[in-house]
Amino acid sequence: MNLRETLDRISRNLSWAWTPEAYDLFRALSPDLFHHLRNNPHAILRRVPDALLDRTWGTESGCAHVANVDARLDRYLRSPDTWTARNAPELQGGCIAYFCAEFGLHESLPLYSGGLGVLAGDHIKTASDLALPLVAIGLHYPEGYFRQTIDHAGSQREAYPPTRWEDIPADRLMDGDEPLLIAVPLGEHVVHVSIWSLEVGRVRLLLLDTDVPQNSDADRHLGGRLYSGDAITRIRQEIILGIGGYRALAALGIEPTIVHLNEGHCAFANLERLRVLRNSGSSWDDALAHVRATSLFTTHTPVPAGHDRFSPAVTAHHLSGWPQRLGVPLSTLMGLGRVHPEDEAEWFCMTVLGMRTSAQINGVSQLHGAVTREMWSSLWPTRAVDEVPVGHVTNGIHVETFLHPRMRHVIEEVDPGDWRADLLDEAAWKRRIDRISDEALLELRRELKRDLIRDLVRRFRAQGDIHGVLDLYDDQLNDWTGDTLTIGFARRFATYKRASMLFHDEERARALLTSLDRPVQFVFAGKAHPKDDEGKGVIRRILEIARDPSFHGRVLFVENYDMELARSLVSGVDVWLNTPRRPREASGTSGQKVTLHGALNASILDGWWVEGFDGTNGFAIGDETSPTSAEEQDQRDVEALYRTFDEEILPAYYGGGRAGAGHTWRAMMRASLSTLPARFSSHRMLRDYVHTYYAPMMRKGRAT
């Protein structure tokens, strides 16, 4: 066996991101270098000499282990006995094209900004696990999303270090000796786009790149960064993603049976689909009917301002030539993106375009589906709100990506059967969890909290100890029992998420956090959009509290939130706090990840938590009533938050003897772990997509 060739083969498929046996092959080469390279197997393999490979894995047993990992990957990729073959054979031979503007696959590949991207990454990982015939399309983003630092004034600073694409196991697709290029019209000129291919298990992810010599300097930098630039940059990126993405599929000989548009950013794909059908001789009505019948549009945004809109002039300029390509008047084309098609002053909305060209539409939780029906009911003026054709599939998480290795060991130890299959059988999952003893669960929680505190100390040292708390944590690490109640709050710092709500009444917050009998520690992390000054102000507010001597060591902000930090936080905290202004949280998935580790959610009844909370498996902040104003809602929720801590969370955690080990807390941890992970896994999510949308649409698409 050629050791380097075998390791290279393993490193070139991103399935290592959720396969600990593969991941650990590369970490063992040099843990410090591996971490420095953002835990990237392909990157470390490019740097280490053969001598180190031989010392680490060159023994007889080491070579056998590497060969075994390689063989397992091969079986995973090639086995004909798959969930899809057994449960959805009608999908075989078809193709689902999944478009999204961002994909969160691993921290070494910064093609994501937050929940949408991580959800898309989980979607295609699970499509791989279930062997769905799916190909994904996104943008290349040479500089990706920004790296966050916090200055001494508590202000967020953004940097865009370029991704070293030679370290990413992606290949630029070639046409002979030259890169394969596709042409995408941007108004009156054409931009040339190359295609990168990345293997994510069984799924192929295609990334579109404008940085080629055939383009002008401005066009070469069009796709440089995720969610940056003005409206002109945004519409051009979205044309490249949608129209260019569908043309990329055609260039590779891929004919999707159905198209899944994940958010409005990629809705221009359906214009290209219409053009192809019109060129083949279909009438406008027939082409639109076929595209609608074979398109699924998923919206994640219950906030009106979150939907991309472009002025009539900007849209008409960038779509010049398209009325001729489609054989329809400009007014018909523009009407596809307007709530009121005849209103020439109305801005063009990408969500409306997605909805008008898709017969199947879904929100991402039960509540979000209802909110979406009401928000967009004017698109169906003759229907009652509850008859608006918008369904829902509640988001879930890719369990293997976020499950801590220690928790995985505990789950596997109690039952030799395949625990992954239990993710599609809630009763089987509960039976497995019931076999875990209280002692094993409590010891696991102590170990995970110790891991988290060590990671926080390492990060504070690396970022310059912006809180001045290293001395405190060094003391705690020397004799740390894990007794302090630890609360996590980490997500995008949009103002509606109300990250600083706990400090609305600073004196009450101080009394809550610094109690000698029942102390509480908060860990915050998250990024504000570079143009969101209000969100940046919330970060500054958190830093002011963290640096206040009276809160010393009780409030921490960890900079540069990414998937690595997310895995650390969701495994180590005791409670995950979520305080959105209801009903603006479409789903939320970060809280689903803590349930994998026996931690609890304390959340406003919004998004997924409305479906997950049952009174025994976490805490509800407030109720489902609708206040008359945002001010009243904020005041009521603040009071409910303090009351939930005083009357429920603290008594449960500190009651019954040892902190976090009393009967009530143990019962709630077990309820969280047994009732939520399977129900809110991405395996369940993809099963719902298959049975509700993909399979029926595949049958209809083949019939038309």
Side-chain angles (χ1 to χ4, degrees):
M1 176 182 72
N2 184 304
L3 190 57
R4 183 174 290 277
E5 288 180 1
T6 304
L7 289 169
D8 182 67
R9 185 164 54 247
I10 296 170
S11 79
R12 286 185 173 276
N13 191 301
L14 253 74
S15 61
W16 47 253
W18 68 94
T19 309
E21 298 83 1
Y23 194 76
D24 289 345
L25 290 178
F26 302 92
R27 186 179 184 277
L29 296 173
S30 173
D32 289 340
L33 178 60
F34 190 64
H35 183 264
H36 175 73
L37 295 170
R38 305 193 73 184
N39 310 308
N40 182 341
H42 196 63
I44 195 171
L45 191 60
R46 294 183 67 247
R47 286 165 174 79
V48 298
D50 288 343
L52 179 56
L53 297 184
D54 289 338
R55 284 199 304 272
T56 308
W57 296 115
T59 64
E60 183 177 350
S61 61
C63 286
H65 180 63
V66 172
N68 182 55
V69 173
D70 184 46
R72 289 180 61 179
L73 173 60
D74 189 66
R75 288 194 299 273
Y76 172 83
L77 297 176
R78 301 179 188 279
S79 173
D81 182 22
T82 66
W83 182 89
T84 295
R86 296 190 302 272
N87 296 279
E90 61 267 57
L91 296 185
Q92 295 184 307
C95 177
I96 304 159
Y98 181 82
F99 287 76
C100 192
E102 53 175 302
F103 287 91
L105 299 166
H106 187 259
E107 57 268 17
S108 63
L109 195 59
L111 304 179
Y112 63 98
S113 70
L116 174 66
V118 175
L119 181 281
D122 285 2
H123 194 108
I124 65 174
K125 290 173 182 176
T126 311
S128 170
D129 290 342
L130 301 183
L132 299 185
L134 185 145
V135 59
I137 304 95
L139 293 178
H140 180 253
Y141 303 123
E143 295 181 352
Y145 202 53
F146 71 89
R147 183 173 182 84
Q148 178 198 56
T149 57
I150 305 297
D151 66 19
H152 291 295
S155 297
Q156 172 180 287
R157 299 295 181 217
E158 300 93 26
Y160 290 87
T163 300
R164 295 175 63 100
W165 276 88
E166 62 271 24
D167 285 340
I168 305 301
D171 296 312
R172 194 193 295 265
L173 300 184
M174 306 297 288
D175 182 10
D177 295 331
E178 299 294 328
L180 175 64
L181 296 179
I182 57 172
V184 180
L186 288 180
E188 297 179 354
H189 81 288
V190 169
V191 64
H192 300 278
V193 179
S194 69
I195 309 165
W196 294 76
S197 179
L198 187 65
E199 301 302 316
V200 185
R202 294 181 175 98
V203 169
R204 193 180 194 186
L205 172 60
L206 303 176
L207 300 173
L208 309 180
D209 181 12
T210 65
D211 188 13
V212 296
Q214 291 81 356
N215 288 330
S216 67
D217 286 345
D219 286 343
R220 293 187 72 161
H221 291 93
L222 260 182
R225 297 175 179 178
L226 173 63
Y227 301 149
S228 67
D230 56 14
I232 301 299
T233 301
R234 178 66 69 89
I235 194 172
R236 291 178 177 179
Q237 285 186 343
E238 295 183 359
I239 288 172
I240 292 165
L241 172 61
I243 294 171
Y246 200 77
R247 291 188 178 190
L249 295 174
L252 298 175
I254 300 171
E255 294 187 34
T257 320
I258 58 179
V259 167
H260 187 168
L261 304 172
N262 195 39
E263 261 302 355
H265 312 302
C266 48
F268 282 130
N270 276 351
L271 293 190
E272 176 65 9
R273 300 183 70 205
L274 288 167
R275 185 194 67 81
V276 170
L277 289 169
R278 293 288 275 147
N279 280 358
S280 68
S282 295
S283 70
W284 172 254
D285 289 342
D286 287 348
L288 185 57
H290 178 79
V291 168
R292 294 188 75 250
T294 54
S295 294
L296 169 63
F297 179 75
T298 299
T299 176
H300 298 253
T301 312
V303 182
H307 298 268
D308 282 346
R309 289 177 169 86
F310 303 106
S311 73
V314 166
T315 308
H317 171 75
H318 284 88
L319 296 182
S320 64
W322 278 89
Q324 293 78 16
R325 294 183 184 102
L326 298 175
V328 296
L330 176 63
S331 59
T332 299
L333 173 58
M334 297 292 285
L336 291 175
R338 290 171 172 159
V339 175
H340 306 98
E342 70 287 348
D343 183 357
E344 295 183 359
E346 182 179 331
W347 284 35
F348 189 93
C349 178
M350 296 299 291
T351 298
V352 174
L353 175 62
M355 289 182 169
R356 287 203 183 279
T357 58
S358 302
Q360 304 295 333
I361 305 166
N362 73 283
V364 290
S365 70
Q366 186 176 49
L367 177 59
H368 180 231
V371 169
T372 302
R373 286 190 289 274
E374 183 172 357
M375 178 184 294
W376 297 104
S377 60
S378 54
L379 288 173
W380 294 270
T382 63
R383 300 194 184 196
V385 170
D386 60 358
E387 295 176 348
V388 168
V390 175
H392 81 276
V393 173
T394 301
N395 284 345
I397 58 167
H398 189 253
V399 171
E400 289 187 82
T401 293
F402 296 98
L403 186 67
H404 194 284
R406 294 180 191 269
M407 186 73 225
R408 182 190 296 254
H409 176 72
V410 170
I411 289 173
E412 292 175 343
E413 194 174 47
V414 298
D415 188 328
D418 182 8
W419 62 269
R420 298 162 189 82
D422 295 347
L423 295 174
L424 288 169
D425 185 340
E426 292 180 36
W429 176 267
K430 185 178 186 304
R431 287 194 297 271
R432 178 180 292 273
I433 299 306
D434 286 345
R435 296 189 181 102
I436 301 174
S437 68
D438 280 358
E439 292 75 16
L441 187 55
L442 290 173
E443 179 57 28
L444 173 73
R445 291 299 311 147
R446 286 191 288 270
E447 291 175 352
L448 294 179
K449 286 181 75 173
R450 291 189 185 103
D451 286 350
L452 172 60
I453 208 74
R454 291 188 180 96
D455 185 44
L456 292 177
V457 170
R458 178 185 59 78
R459 288 174 180 273
F460 293 153
R461 289 194 175 114
Q463 71 185 29
D465 191 16
I466 58 175
H467 307 84
V469 296
L470 275 180
D471 55 339
L472 173 68
Y473 276 91
D474 282 339
D475 290 343
Q476 282 196 2
L477 277 175
N478 289 333
D479 186 20
W480 198 69
T481 63
D483 287 345
T484 301
L485 176 63
T486 303
I487 314 291
F489 185 105
R491 52 187 47 84
R492 186 166 52 89
F493 265 61
T495 52
Y496 78 86
K497 295 178 182 286
R498 302 186 295 185
S500 61
M501 194 170 80
L502 178 76
F503 307 108
H504 180 81
D505 185 329
E506 193 170 315
E507 288 305 313
R508 291 178 71 176
R510 185 176 291 106
L512 174 70
L513 271 64
T514 61
S515 166
L516 295 178
D517 297 330
R518 305 189 304 185
V520 181
Q521 172 177 280
F522 273 79
V523 183
F524 289 88
K527 298 177 178 180
H529 187 279
K531 295 183 179 180
D532 183 2
D533 291 335
E534 291 187 51
K536 292 181 180 181
V538 176
I539 293 177
R540 283 194 297 273
R541 172 65 173 152
I542 299 295
L543 264 295
E544 289 172 1
I545 294 292
R547 292 167 173 173
D548 185 330
S550 63
F551 283 100
H552 185 57
R554 297 301 181 195
V555 180
L556 309 171
F557 185 91
V558 191
E559 67 184 17
N560 202 43
Y561 185 45
D562 65 3
M563 291 183 69
E564 181 186 24
L565 176 55
R567 292 194 300 271
S568 180
L569 290 173
V570 299
S571 63
V573 300
D574 297 302
V575 173
W576 196 256
L577 183 64
N578 188 35
T579 54
R581 186 176 288 115
R582 176 186 162 98
R584 296 190 177 187
E585 185 83 288
S587 177
T589 57
S590 59
Q592 296 169 356
K593 295 156 192 167
V594 302
T595 69
L596 304 175
H597 306 99
L600 305 179
N601 280 270
S603 176
I604 299 290
L605 285 165
D606 200 5
W608 78 280
W609 191 232
V610 178
E611 302 168 50
F613 174 67
D614 67 6
T616 70
N617 57 5
F619 306 96
I621 300 171
D623 54 35
E624 297 183 64
T625 59
S626 300
T628 58
S629 68
E631 293 76 15
E632 179 190 351
Q633 183 177 15
D634 288 351
Q635 187 58 48
R636 286 174 53 175
D637 288 347
V638 165
E639 291 299 320
L641 176 63
Y642 291 134
R643 186 169 58 250
T644 301
F645 269 100
D646 289 337
E647 299 177 6
E648 299 182 53
I649 298 175
L650 293 173
Y653 185 82
Y654 285 106
R658 184 176 178 180
H663 172 76
T664 300
W665 196 263
R666 293 200 314 272
M668 295 185 75
M669 286 196 303
R670 187 173 293 281
S672 176
L673 185 57
S674 65
T675 65
L676 296 171
R679 186 177 174 192
F680 295 100
S681 75
S682 55
H683 282 67
R684 185 276 311 154
M685 178 182 76
L686 262 292
R687 181 187 62 189
D688 289 354
Y689 272 113
V690 167
H691 293 323
T692 306
Y693 296 112
Y694 290 166
M697 291 173 66
M698 193 76 78
R699 290 191 291 268
K700 182 173 290 188
R702 285 170 170 155
T704 58

